[in-house]
Amino acid sequence: MVSNAGMDTQDTLEHRITELEIKSSYQEDLIDKLDQVIIRQQQQIDQLVEALVKLRDQRPESAPGTSNLRDELPPHY
């Protein structure tokens, strides 16, 4: 014969296990979403690096003997 206390303990354990399974499911979903965010951010970083390399390649090389505009003083000095 099973007492009510034994049934309450079993019901409590089943409830706790169910709650843990629900939390685990939410965490798995969140981890999947975060993985997708990381993948998308890495793709954006790769695109930005590629664009930066292209911009560097488009920059005209300064001829020898010419100075950088930053090195020149403005006329009012």
Side-chain angles (χ1 to χ4, degrees), residues 4-17:
N4 283 341
M7 290 296 281
D8 288 340
T9 303
Q10 185 176 354
D11 289 344
T12 301
L13 288 176
E14 286 180 15
H15 177 72
R16 290 177 65 189
I17 290 172

Side-chain angles (χ1 to χ4, degrees), residues 1-72:
M1 184 167 150
V2 178
S3 67
N4 283 341
M7 290 296 281
D8 288 340
T9 303
Q10 185 176 354
D11 289 344
T12 301
L13 288 176
E14 286 180 15
H15 177 72
R16 290 177 65 189
I17 290 172
T18 301
E19 290 296 317
L20 289 172
E21 289 173 339
I22 291 170
K23 286 182 181 182
S24 175
S25 175
Y26 280 121
Q27 288 177 345
E28 287 177 10
D29 185 51
L30 178 61
I31 289 171
D32 288 341
K33 288 178 182 178
L34 290 173
D35 282 343
Q36 292 303 314
V37 169
I38 291 170
I39 290 168
R40 190 171 63 247
Q41 287 178 340
Q42 186 60 51
Q43 290 170 341
Q44 290 173 337
I45 289 170
D46 293 342
Q47 291 171 350
L48 290 170
V49 167
E50 185 178 327
L52 180 61
V53 168
K54 286 180 182 179
L55 286 173
R56 283 185 187 159
D57 291 343
Q58 291 176 358
R59 182 180 63 191
E61 295 295 326
S62 57
T66 60
S67 62
N68 189 340
L69 293 177
R70 291 184 181 169
D71 295 336
E72 295 179 16

